[in-house]
Amino acid sequence: MKLFKNKTFLLFLPAAIFMIIPFYGFFHALTQSTGGEGLAHYEEILSSERFLSSVWFSIRTAGIATIISIILGLVFTKLFHPLLNNTFPRLMVWIPMLFPHFVWGYMVILILSETGWMAQTLVAAGWLGDTSNFPVWTRDPEGIGIIITYVWKEVPLVILLLFPVYASIRPEFYDLVNSLGGNAWHRFTTVDLPHLLPVLVESFLIIFSFTLAAYEVPALIGTTFPEMISVLGYEWFYGSSWDDRPLAFAAMVMTSLFLLVLTLIGYFGLSRRRWRAMRGDGA
């Protein structure tokens, strides 16, 4: 009663509304995907070669982009985090975060397409006979253009998340490892990694979830087959046949459940690690 008397609960309303809306959308999609026919639509997409190819392509593309982004962001932060204490270098690193993803998608097309700046520069320099000889890095079946776009965009986010962790690590920890004869690898595994692991897992989940479900970049520089699952769901929803709409809802429900399971695995994995650390025996 004291909570309602002081109206403290009003402070939780924005967060509650923010959480309720996605759950409403999920349950609405679940209702539309079953809609009197049970799991028939789920059975249909799971037997569809197009859907299975899209799932594998989406997971592979999102996974590669996420891993490369985390590795590059980790290396950059490890090497240059002292410089990031200054305002100007920090702003230069985070400028890409100011622009939407589709802007970077257009930049990739302008720079790396067969008729882009790089191809024309190589032709003008005499290193290529024609722009058609330039490697296909956009609208390619391997998703190279999509991966490049997301790596370009997400590395600053990784740096943003990792920089406070490096700033909080005390130099005495490194001195202790050095005094015991440790090298750079020992300093990373015994000092950096225990501090970084929770943030690395969170960064992976954030970037992978967004990349897997995002639409604008795959629609802009992706191929028609195989396509990202978000593009396939969009085509099913806005296609010419109304019968395909439940398939779009089913695809998005399965994607949401997959990401939910992945998040729970990451959460319980980190919780178990913290519990073991609190016990102190490592068993």
Side-chain angles (χ1 to χ4, degrees), residues 18-252:
F18 181 78
M19 295 297 296
I20 290 173
I21 293 177
F23 279 106
Y24 168 77
F26 174 79
F27 285 112
H28 178 71
L30 184 62
T31 303
Q32 293 295 319
S33 62
T34 53
E37 299 186 22
L39 301 177
H41 295 117
Y42 291 90
E43 296 175 357
E44 181 178 350
I45 64 174
L46 288 176
S47 61
S48 170
E49 182 180 354
R50 183 184 182 189
F51 175 76
L52 296 178
S53 299
S54 176
V55 169
W56 167 244
F57 177 75
S58 301
I59 293 176
R60 182 182 64 84
T61 303
I64 293 175
T66 302
I67 293 173
I68 294 177
S69 299
I70 290 178
I71 292 176
L72 292 179
L74 175 60
V75 171
F76 188 95
T77 311
K78 172 67 175 177
L79 295 178
F80 301 106
H81 70 89
L83 294 177
L84 296 178
N85 290 315
N86 301 320
T87 303
F88 182 74
R90 190 161 60 243
L91 291 177
M92 292 299 295
V93 170
W94 294 340
I95 280 179
M97 298 180 63
L98 300 176
F99 301 93
H101 285 78
F102 73 86
V103 173
W104 294 111
Y106 276 114
M107 290 295 295
V108 169
I109 292 177
L110 291 175
I111 297 174
L112 298 178
S113 66
E114 294 90 314
T115 57
W117 296 345
M118 183 174 292
Q120 294 180 14
T121 301
L122 294 177
V123 171
W127 295 347
L128 281 181
D130 188 77
T131 56
S132 60
N133 298 325
F134 190 76
V136 180
W137 287 347
T138 59
R139 300 185 179 92
D140 61 291
E142 300 300 326
I144 296 176
I146 299 174
I147 293 172
I148 293 175
T149 302
Y150 282 119
V151 169
W152 196 356
K153 186 70 169 65
E154 303 304 337
V155 166
L157 175 63
V158 176
I159 297 173
L160 172 67
L161 296 174
L162 295 183
F163 171 66
V165 179
Y166 269 108
S168 66
I169 297 178
R170 297 171 58 182
E172 292 82 356
F173 295 158
Y174 298 112
D175 296 336
L176 177 60
V177 176
N178 294 334
S179 65
L180 296 175
N183 53 28
W185 175 250
H186 295 134
R187 289 193 296 271
F188 176 76
T189 55
T190 59
V191 179
D192 295 351
L193 192 58
H195 290 83
L196 295 173
L197 186 59
V199 181
L200 290 176
V201 173
E202 293 170 1
S203 302
F204 178 87
L205 292 173
I206 292 172
I207 298 174
F208 181 79
S209 300
F210 180 86
T211 307
L212 183 69
Y215 171 78
E216 66 275 28
V217 172
L220 181 64
I221 58 178
T223 58
T224 56
F225 184 86
E227 66 267 70
M228 295 287 282
I229 193 170
S230 56
V231 178
L232 178 60
Y234 183 91
E235 292 178 1
W236 277 341
F237 188 86
Y238 289 103
S240 57
S241 176
W242 285 80
D243 295 333
D244 290 340
R245 283 202 168 188
L247 302 180
F249 285 115
M252 292 300 102

